[in-house]
Amino acid sequence: MTTVTTRTVTYPADGLTMVSHLALPAGVGPRPAVLIGPEGPGLNDFQRRRADALAELGYVALAFDINGGHWFTDPQEMLAHTTPLLADPDRMRDIGTAALEALRAEPRTDPGRIAGIGYGTGGAIVLELGRAGVDLRAIGTVNALTTGRPGEAARIRCPVWAGVGSEDPIMPPAQRDAFTAEMQAAGVDWRLAVYGGALHAFHHPPVDQTVLPGIGYHPRHAHRAWRDIVDLLTECVPVTE
């Protein structure tokens, strides 16, 4: 196993102090980097381990905060925070841009080789960075089939991969169709993976809290979605010495 170094990175965004998790691979010199956006409740150890796992593969990885260091245990409280955020592309872009600047400030980051991945709300934030024309080499999202303001998807400058559960009531077929129509009309290099039988947040192990309807963990598809994300990174931002 590759030796990974981690540390907490704090910075202001959205009127909050964000508390993000940076993971650095072994070695010296610049490496490709990955922004990792979390689900609506915020960052927890499971999501921090995503950054650690990518650092083991040779990436500089920042699992970025969206809630000012807070983990929402009450789904209604979480929705009260994330629903207006998801309706405000400029707020999402501000949060994503602040995280991207923190990642670029790391000396090990190769600023010309940065990808963004995200889950749920974090995935929507990464997509908004793409729609803002940010120079990313790849965008990968799970359960984040959001659509943007008219015409802005044409600014996306990289391949987009998206994954969703076939039984996800929060991302139903009509939303899938709207997302893929947006990507296609904009001429984006896009892919959509539909994981049969999976619900929303199928990629995240159960946590000790009351969950919303339509939420459910699917370990087999969780593994497949992670493998698909890694394949996207390997294709678009390969680690080279």
Side-chain angles (χ1 to χ4, degrees), residues 33-134:
V34 185
L35 274 178
I36 308 168
E39 292 85 348
L43 282 181
N44 63 6
D45 285 342
F46 173 76
Q47 297 173 84
R48 294 182 186 96
R49 285 196 294 271
R50 289 179 180 144
D52 298 349
L54 290 177
E56 289 176 2
L57 296 176
Y59 295 95
V60 176
L62 182 74
F64 66 86
D65 184 15
I66 61 174
N67 297 334
H70 184 67
W71 167 264
F72 288 106
T73 58
D74 181 339
Q76 297 307 318
E77 185 183 5
M78 182 269 291
L79 288 174
H81 178 76
T82 59
T83 300
L85 174 61
L86 289 168
D88 191 334
D90 292 325
R91 276 184 67 198
M92 289 194 284
R93 291 177 186 186
D94 288 346
I95 291 171
T97 297
L100 182 60
E101 290 175 353
L103 180 58
R104 285 176 171 162
E106 165 53 47
R108 295 287 309 281
T109 295
D110 181 343
R113 293 190 294 162
I114 299 177
I117 68 173
Y119 298 79
T121 302
I125 289 171
V126 171
L127 279 167
E128 281 306 318
L129 287 179
R131 294 184 182 108
V134 170

